[in-house]
C-alpha cells in the first residue's frame, strides 16, 4: 500500500473535522496530480462550503448548519477516497495490473449483469448433472474454466472499484444473500470487498459486510463478513466522519451471540499471530521425538508398539516404556495445541506456497474445489484417491493448505511415513479429527478463514501492496481495544479477553485492552490485572483491596508493591495481616523476616528464620535470607557457615556471591571479600560502583570508612 504524505495530510484534516484545511490540502495535491473529474468535484464542494461560510459570516443562525457541515465532510471524504484509491492503483504494480485487467475485459459491471452471469453458472452446473458422465466431464471442465476466469475478473474489479454508491452496495448485498448464487462465488466476492475496505474505508462496503453478517444463512459467507467488518473498522473515521459506523456496531453488540463470537474471534487472532512461534515449538521440542522413535506406530487409539526386539528388551527392560511415554507425551502435546486453536500446519505449508497457482491473488481466497482449473492435472490423476480424499476430509486444513497439499501430492505422498498412509487409507485420522458437525460450527469456519488470511498476508509475493492486518509491530489486531467498543454491551467480556492475553504473555496487547475500559467497568479484576502489568501497582492493588477487603491475592500484591518502594513498615503490617489468613505460609514468613531485617529488628527476624531453617534446613531461600540477616546483625561466623554451605551445594547465584562478600568484608577478610565481589561482577555484568551504592548505609554502619571504600573499588 502506497504511503503519500500529501494524501495523509488530507485524511488528517478530515479526521480533525477541519473541512476548510482538507479542501486546501486536496487542492494542493491536485495541483501536482491533476485530474479533471476530481478537480470538478472539489470545485463543487468548495463552492458549497463557501456559501455556507458566507451565510454564517453574515450573522445568520442556521439550525441545519451542523448537518450541512457533516454532509460536506462526507462528500470530502468520498473525494479523498477516490483520489487515494486511484493514486494507490497507479503506484502499485499489482493493483494497476488487476485494475486494467478488469477494465480490459469489457464486461458490464452492473449488479444486474453480474447476477445474471452467476445465476447462469449455477443453472449450467445443474444441467450437467442430467448428462451422461462421458459427455458431461469435458463440458464441466470447460464450464469451470470459463467461470473461474470471470470470477477472477470480478474479484479484481471489486478490489479496485473504489468507493461504492449506496445503490450499488444494496444490489450487491441482495446478490450475496441470494440462494440462487453459488456459495463459493459469494465467499470470493466477500473476500474482495474485505480487502478493498481494509485498505480504504468505505461506509457502503462496511455496511454491506455488517448486513451480510446479520442476515446471511450461509455460515461460510457470514463468517467471512464478520472477519471483514471487524478488520475494516476505522475508529477514527467513525468518530469523526461516519457516526453510522458506531451505530451499526452498537446495534450488533445488543445481541449477546455477537459479543461471544467477537470474543472468540479475538482469541483466534492471537493464535494466528502465534503460528510461527508454535511452529518453532513443534520443530524444536516435539518433532524430534516423533521422528526419532523406532518401533512404534500411530493409530486412531494412540501410540502402539510394533514387534519388540527381544534382545533389546532383555538388555534395556525400561527403555521401551520410557520411549513410549516420551512419544505419547509429544504426540499428545501437539494434539492439545491443535485442539486449543494453534495453527500447527502453518510452518509446513508455508513451504508449499510457491506453486504458480498462488501467483493469482484471487486464488488465496477461493474455497477448495476439485473443479478448480488450477487442479485440472492433479484432479485427473488423483481425484478418486482414497488416501487423498480421506486426508482432505479429516485433517483441519484451511482452503489454502488444501490447494497446497493437492498440488504437491505426488511429491508429498512419497515422504509420508507408511503408518500414516495406512491410517488414512483405512479412514483413520492424523492427530485430532474434527467431526462434520464441528466443521460446520461458526468457530471452526472462522478459524479456517483466519488461517487463509494469515497465510496471504505472510506469504503472498505481492503482500506489500496491502495493509498487513497481522503486523506484529503493533496491536491493531486486538480490535476490542478500539474505542468503538468502549462503553458497549461487549465490555463485560473485556476481563475474559485481557486474562487470556496475559496467559499468552501478550502484555502489550493486554495493556491496550485495559486502556479501553470505561470508568464504570473498572472492577476488581481490572485493578488486579493493571497492577500485574506494573501500572501503578501500589494504587491498583489498593483499589482492588477496597473492593474485596479480604482478598489474599490483592493484599499480597499490595504488600509486595509497598516493599518494592522501600516502605518496610507498611509492608510488615500487610504481611502480618496475610499471616493471620495463612499462618504457616513460608513466602509470607520469609517476606516478613526481610522486612524486619530492613527495619533492623534482627532478633525478631532471626526467630522467624531459625524456625523455618529448623523445619527445612536445606531450603536455599530460607538459608539465603537467614545468612543476610545474620550478616546485618554482625553474627559473621554463623553467617559464614551458611554461605559456605550454599557455595558448596552447587553454583551460587550472583546475589549469594555479593552478600557473602559483604560478610567477609565486615569480618575483616578483605581479599576473600574482593574475590567474591569480583566473581559477582563477572556473572552479573554490573558496574563495580553498584556494589557500594546499593548498600552504602549498611557499609558505613559497619564502620567502613570512605578511604576503605575507595581502596576496595580500586582492587576490584
Amino acid at each position: 500500500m502506497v504511503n503519500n504524505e500529501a494524501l495523509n495530510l488530507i485524511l488528517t484534516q478530515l479526521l480533525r473535522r477541519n473541512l476548510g484545511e482538507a479542501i486546501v490540502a486536496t487542492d494542493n495535491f491536485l495541483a501536482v496530480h491533476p485530474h479533471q473529474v476530481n478537480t470538478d468535484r472539489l470545485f463543487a464542494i468548495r463552492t458549497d462550503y463557501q456559501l455556507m461560510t458566507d451565510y454564517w459570516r453574515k450573522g445568520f443562525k442556521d439550525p441545519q448548519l451542523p448537518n450541512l457541515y457533516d454532509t460536506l465532510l462526507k462528500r470530502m471524504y468520498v473525494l479523498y477516497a477516490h483520489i487515494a484509491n486511484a493514486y494507490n492503483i497507479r503506484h502499485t504494480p499489482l493493483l494497476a495490473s488487476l485494475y486494467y485487467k478488469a477494465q480490459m475485459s469489457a464486461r458490464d459491471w452492473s449488479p444486474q449483469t453480474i447476477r445474471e452471469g452467476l445465476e447462469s453458472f449455477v443453472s449450467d452446473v445443474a444441467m450437467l448433472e442430467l448428462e451422461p458422465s462421458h459427455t458431461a466431464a469435458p463440458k464441466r471442465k470447460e464450464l469451470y474454466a470459463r467461470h473461474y476466469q470471470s470470477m477472477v475478473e470480478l474479484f479484481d474489479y471489486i478490489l479496485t472499484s473504489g468507493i461504492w454508491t449506496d445503490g450499488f452496495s444494496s444490489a450487491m448485498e441482495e446478490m450475496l444473500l441470494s440462494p440462487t448464487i453459488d456459495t463459493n462465488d459469494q465467499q470470493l466476492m466477500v473476500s474482495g470487498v474485505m480487502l478493498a475496505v481494509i485498505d480504504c474505508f468505505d461506509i457502503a462496503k462496511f455496511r454491506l459486510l455488517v448486513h451480510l453478517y446479520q442476515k446471511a444463512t450461509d455460515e461460510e459467507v457470514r463468517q467471512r463478513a464478520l472477519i471483514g467488518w471487524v478488520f475494516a473498522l476505522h475508529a477514527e473515521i467513525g468518530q469523526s466522519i461516519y457516526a453510522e459506523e458506531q451505530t451499526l456496531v452498537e446495534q450488533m453488540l445488543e445481541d449477546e451471540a455477537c459479543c461471544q463470537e467477537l470474543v472468540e474471534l479475538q482469541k483466534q487472532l492471537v493464535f494466528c499471530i502465534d503460528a510461527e512461534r508454535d511452529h518453532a515449538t513443534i520443530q524444536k521440542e516435539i518433532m524430534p521425538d516423533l521422528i526419532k522413535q523406532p518401533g512404534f506406530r500411530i493409530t486412531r487409539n494412540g501410540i502402539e508398539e510394533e514387534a519388540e526386539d527381544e534382545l533389546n528388551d532383555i538388555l534395556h527392560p525400561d527403555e521401551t516404556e520410557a520411549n513410549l511415554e516420551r512419544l505419547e507425551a509429544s504426540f499428545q502435546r501437539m494434539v492439545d495445541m491443535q485442539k486449543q486453536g494453534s495453527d500447527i500446519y502453518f510452518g509446513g505449508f508455508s513451504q508449499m506456497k510457491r506453486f504458480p497457482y498462488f501467483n493469482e491473488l484471487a486464488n488465496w481466497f477461493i474455497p477448495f474445489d476439485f473443479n478448480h482449473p488450477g487442479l485440472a492435472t492433479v484432479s485427473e490423476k488423483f481425484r478418486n484417491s482414497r488416501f487423498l480424499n480421506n486426508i482432505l476430509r479429516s485433517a483441519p486444513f484451511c482452503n489454502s493448505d488444501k490447494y497446497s497439499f493437492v498440488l504437491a501430492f505426488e511429491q508429498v505422498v512419497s515422504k509420508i511415513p507408511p503408518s500414516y498412509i495406512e491410517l488414512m487409507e483405512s479412514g483413520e485420522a492424523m492427530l485430532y479429527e474434527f467431526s462434520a458437525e464441528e466443521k460446520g460450527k461458526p468457530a471452526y469456519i472462522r478459524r479456517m478463514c483466519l488461517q487463509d488470511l494469515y497465510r496471504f498476508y505472510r506469504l503472498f509475493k505481492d503482500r506489500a501492496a496491502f495493509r498487513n492486518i497481522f503486523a506484529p509491530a503493533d496491536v491493531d489486531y486486538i480490535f476490542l481495544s478500539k474505542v468503538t467498543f468502549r462503553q458497549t454491551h461487549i465490555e463485560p467480556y473485556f476481563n475474559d479477553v485481557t486474562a487470556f492475553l496475559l496467559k499468552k504473555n501478550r502484555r502489550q496487547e493486554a495493556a491496550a485492552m485495559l486502556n479501553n475500559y470505561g470508568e464504570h467497568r473498572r472492577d476488581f479484576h481490572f485493578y488486579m490485572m493493571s497492577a500485574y502489568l506494573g501500572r501503578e501497582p501500589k494504587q491498583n492493588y489498593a483499589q482492588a483491596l477496597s473492593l474485596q477487603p479480604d482478598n489474599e491475592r490483592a493484599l499480597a500484591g499490595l504488600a509486595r508493591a509497598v516493599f518494592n518502594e522501600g516502605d518496610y513498615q507498611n509492608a510488615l503490617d500487610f504481611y502480618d495481616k496475610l499471616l493471620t489468613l495463612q499462618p504457616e505460609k513460608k513466602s509470607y514468613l520469609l517476606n516478613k523476616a526481610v522486612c524486619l531485617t530492613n527495619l533492623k529488628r534482627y532478633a525478631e527476624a532471626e526467630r522467624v528464620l531459625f524456625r523455618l531453617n529448623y523445619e527445612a534446613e536445606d531450603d536455599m531461600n530460607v538459608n539465603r535470607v537467614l545468612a543476610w540477616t545474620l550478616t546485618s546483625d554482625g553474627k559473621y561466623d554463623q553467617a559464614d557457615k551458611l554461605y559456605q554451605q550454599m557455595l558448596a551445594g552447587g553454583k551460587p547465584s550472583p546475589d549469594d556471591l555479593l552478600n557473602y562478600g559483604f560478610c567477609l568484608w565486615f569480618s575483616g577478610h578483605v581479599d576473600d571479600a574482593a574475590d567474591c565481589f569480583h566473581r559477582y561482577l563477572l556473572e552479573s555484568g554490573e558496574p563495580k560502583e553498584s556494589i557500594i551504592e546499593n548498600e552504602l548505609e549498611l557499609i558505613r554502619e559497619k564502620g567502613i570508612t570512605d578511604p576503605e571504600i575507595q581502596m576496595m573499588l580500586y582492587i576490584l
Side-chain angles (χ1 to χ4, degrees):
M1 188 176 182
V2 175
N3 185 23
N4 179 274
E5 187 175 338
L7 284 172
N8 291 339
L9 177 60
I10 300 172
L11 180 58
T12 298
Q13 298 299 347
L14 287 169
L15 295 178
R16 292 173 179 170
R17 293 182 57 82
N18 193 333
L19 182 55
E21 291 298 332
I23 291 172
V24 171
T26 306
D27 199 17
N28 292 337
F29 179 86
L30 291 177
V32 180
H33 307 276
H35 189 282
Q36 188 59 47
V37 174
N38 291 331
T39 301
D40 292 345
R41 289 174 178 171
L42 179 63
F43 177 78
I45 294 172
R46 184 195 290 114
T47 301
D48 289 346
Y49 180 66
Q50 192 62 51
L51 286 172
M52 184 176 65
T53 304
D54 291 344
Y55 190 71
W56 165 73
R57 292 178 69 177
K58 291 175 181 177
F60 294 104
K61 191 70 174 176
D62 184 356
Q64 293 301 313
L65 181 63
N67 292 334
L68 292 172
Y69 194 90
D70 282 345
T71 300
L72 282 176
L73 201 63
K74 290 172 185 174
R75 285 172 59 191
M76 191 65 228
Y77 174 79
V78 170
L79 175 57
Y80 153 78
H82 276 301
I83 294 171
N85 185 63
Y87 182 89
N88 202 31
I89 289 172
R90 284 198 305 274
H91 292 82
T92 308
L94 171 68
L95 296 180
S97 68
L98 299 181
Y99 176 77
Y100 290 114
K101 185 168 64 173
Q103 297 302 317
M104 289 174 64
S105 68
R107 288 177 57 185
D108 178 1
W109 294 115
S110 68
Q112 182 61 33
T113 304
I114 294 171
R115 180 166 185 166
E116 288 173 358
L118 296 176
E119 290 178 337
S120 176
F121 168 72
V122 174
S123 299
D124 291 343
V125 170
M127 292 299 292
L128 280 176
E129 298 299 322
L130 303 177
E131 291 198 26
S133 58
H134 67 282
T135 60
K139 290 182 180 180
R140 178 178 288 106
K141 184 176 180 180
E142 181 185 354
L143 174 63
Y144 274 92
R146 194 167 58 246
H147 180 67
Y148 166 74
Q149 188 57 44
S150 69
M151 287 306 300
V152 168
E153 291 171 358
L154 176 56
F155 180 88
D156 296 344
Y157 169 74
I158 291 173
L159 181 60
T160 59
S161 58
I163 301 297
W164 288 0
T165 64
D166 290 345
F168 187 89
S169 177
S170 297
M172 293 294 282
E173 177 185 325
E174 186 179 342
M175 191 188 317
L176 291 168
L177 291 171
S178 172
T180 60
I181 308 284
D182 185 80
T183 179
N184 286 0
D185 294 344
Q186 290 173 326
Q187 291 174 57
L188 180 61
M189 292 167 69
V190 170
S191 294
V193 174
M194 173 177 60
L195 279 188
V197 73
I198 286 173
D199 277 358
C200 185
F201 183 81
D202 177 354
I203 191 63
K205 294 191 187 81
F206 181 81
R207 188 191 307 118
L208 164 65
L209 292 172
V210 169
H211 288 173
L212 290 178
Y213 170 65
Q214 292 175 316
K215 301 175 184 179
T217 55
D218 185 319
E219 199 60 51
E220 299 276 2
V221 172
R222 183 172 173 272
Q223 291 303 320
R224 288 203 187 203
L226 167 61
I227 295 169
W229 74 253
V230 165
F231 282 139
L233 273 173
H234 198 306
E236 294 83 359
I237 291 177
Q239 296 287 314
S240 302
I241 303 170
Y242 287 108
E244 182 186 355
E245 181 194 69
Q246 184 72 35
T247 302
L248 287 168
V249 172
E250 289 179 358
Q251 288 173 350
M252 286 187 287
L253 295 178
E254 291 175 1
D255 181 3
E256 186 177 346
C258 173
C259 294
Q260 291 173 344
E261 284 199 312
L262 287 171
V263 170
E264 290 174 359
L265 172 58
Q266 185 64 89
K267 293 178 181 180
Q268 288 174 319
L269 278 169
V270 176
F271 282 114
C272 276
I273 295 292
D274 283 344
E276 285 165 280
R277 187 165 65 183
D278 290 340
H279 173 64
T281 299
I282 291 170
Q283 291 297 107
K284 294 177 183 177
E285 302 176 20
I286 297 177
M287 289 309 296
D289 279 335
L290 291 177
I291 293 172
K292 296 178 182 179
Q293 295 292 344
F296 300 103
R297 62 193 296 270
I298 300 173
T299 73
R300 177 187 293 275
N301 298 316
I303 312 295
E304 291 183 359
E305 292 183 61
E306 294 180 346
E308 295 184 41
D309 183 329
E310 292 185 15
L311 178 60
N312 187 68
D313 189 43
I314 293 170
L315 297 176
H316 307 286
D318 298 326
E319 183 179 334
T320 299
E321 185 176 352
N323 286 342
L324 178 59
E325 289 178 358
R326 185 161 56 251
L327 184 59
E328 285 182 335
S330 297
F331 183 79
Q332 188 58 46
R333 184 177 176 190
M334 193 148 62
V335 170
D336 290 341
M337 288 175 67
Q338 184 177 334
K339 285 181 180 179
Q340 291 163 8
S342 294
D343 186 357
I344 66 172
Y345 297 113
F346 171 77
F349 280 108
S350 65
Q351 305 303 315
M352 300 164 65
K353 296 292 189 284
R354 297 169 185 166
F355 295 104
Y357 170 91
F358 292 104
N359 291 336
E360 179 62 64
L361 173 63
N363 281 345
W364 290 83
F365 302 96
I366 295 177
F368 181 78
D369 187 347
F370 256 126
N371 293 304
H372 192 298
L375 301 183
T377 303
V378 183
S379 178
E380 289 176 4
K381 294 174 65 176
F382 299 111
R383 184 166 189 158
N384 296 319
S385 164
R386 186 175 181 184
F387 170 63
L388 178 58
N389 281 284
N390 280 338
I391 207 168
L392 291 174
R393 171 187 57 79
S394 62
F397 295 163
C398 62
N399 291 302
S400 169
D401 288 353
K402 286 181 179 179
Y403 281 113
S404 294
F405 189 82
V406 173
L407 288 167
F409 184 68
E410 283 185 286
Q411 295 84 12
V412 168
V413 72
S414 64
K415 298 178 182 179
I416 296 177
S419 60
Y420 278 48
I421 295 179
E422 181 185 340
L423 282 171
M424 296 309 302
E425 287 287 1
S426 64
E428 297 185 36
M430 299 192 316
L431 293 183
Y432 176 73
E433 180 178 2
F434 290 84
S435 67
E437 181 183 358
E438 286 177 297
K439 288 185 175 182
K441 290 181 178 178
Y444 181 89
I445 294 170
R446 189 168 54 247
R447 173 179 168 184
M448 295 300 105
C449 289
L450 287 173
Q451 290 184 7
D452 278 326
L453 266 179
Y454 186 74
R455 282 149 179 69
F456 166 72
Y457 280 107
R458 290 289 292 114
L459 303 172
F460 180 50
K461 64 183 181 66
D462 291 313
R463 59 190 176 275
F466 303 93
R467 182 173 70 85
N468 185 1
I469 54 180
F470 295 101
D474 54 43
V475 295
D476 273 357
Y477 75 96
I478 304 297
F479 61 86
L480 288 178
S481 68
K482 293 183 178 181
V483 68
T484 307
F485 295 99
R486 187 181 300 168
Q487 296 183 343
T488 65
H489 289 289
I490 204 171
E491 265 201 339
Y493 296 86
F494 279 10
N495 283 340
D496 179 23
V497 174
T498 309
F500 169 80
L501 291 169
L502 289 173
K503 288 178 184 177
K504 297 289 287 182
N505 198 30
R506 295 279 176 182
R507 298 176 67 91
Q508 183 183 0
E509 290 88 335
M513 281 298 303
L514 290 171
N515 289 338
N516 206 32
Y517 280 61
E519 287 289 340
H520 66 294
R521 282 291 168 196
R522 301 193 171 187
D523 57 7
F524 172 81
H525 298 288
F526 168 83
Y527 291 115
M528 290 294 288
M529 290 186 290
S530 296
Y532 176 78
L533 285 172
R535 296 151 57 102
E536 299 183 329
K538 177 179 171 182
Q539 291 83 345
N540 279 308
Y541 279 127
Q543 286 280 12
L545 204 58
S546 70
L547 295 172
Q548 292 189 20
D550 297 326
N551 188 279
E552 185 180 343
R553 288 191 303 118
L555 185 57
L558 182 56
R560 186 170 57 253
V562 297
F563 178 91
N564 290 338
E565 289 185 354
D567 187 356
Y568 302 118
Q569 183 57 59
N570 273 324
L572 177 62
D573 293 340
F574 288 133
Y575 283 117
D576 280 335
K577 289 181 182 178
L578 286 165
L579 287 166
T580 63
L581 300 174
Q582 298 274 7
E584 300 302 319
K585 191 162 184 176
K586 186 179 292 185
S587 63
Y588 297 160
L589 289 166
L590 273 176
N591 285 325
K592 175 180 179 176
V594 174
C595 289
L596 289 167
T597 298
N598 284 320
L599 291 169
K600 299 183 175 55
R601 293 161 60 175
Y602 304 124
E604 296 173 68
E606 288 164 16
R607 280 197 295 273
V608 174
L609 293 166
F610 277 124
R611 176 194 148 197
L612 292 174
N613 177 258
Y614 176 77
E615 293 172 351
E617 62 180 348
D618 294 328
D619 190 316
M620 293 297 290
N621 288 325
V622 173
N623 291 342
R624 189 170 286 118
V625 176
L626 176 56
W628 180 246
T629 300
L630 291 169
T631 298
S632 301
D633 196 19
K635 298 177 180 179
Y636 306 124
D637 290 340
Q638 290 176 270
D640 188 274
K641 290 178 182 178
L642 288 170
Y643 282 122
Q644 291 285 0
Q645 290 175 13
M646 285 189 278
L647 268 61
K651 184 180 178 181
S653 71
D655 284 344
D656 291 336
L657 293 169
L658 176 64
N659 292 341
Y660 188 30
F662 282 120
C663 178
L664 292 167
W665 191 10
F666 297 159
S667 59
H669 299 85
V670 176
D671 284 342
D672 291 337
D675 180 60
C676 278
F677 289 149
H678 185 67
R679 290 171 62 190
Y680 163 76
L681 293 173
L682 286 175
E683 292 194 23
S684 69
E686 294 288 325
K688 60 184 179 181
E689 290 77 13
S690 67
I691 292 175
I692 306 302
E693 291 168 358
N694 294 336
E695 296 295 344
L696 183 58
E697 181 182 349
L698 181 62
I699 291 169
R700 285 178 172 162
E701 186 180 294
K702 296 300 181 181
I704 306 294
T705 63
D706 285 344
E708 289 175 293
I709 291 173
Q710 295 303 321
M711 286 188 289
M712 177 60 79
L713 289 173
Y714 174 74
I715 64 175
L716 290 181

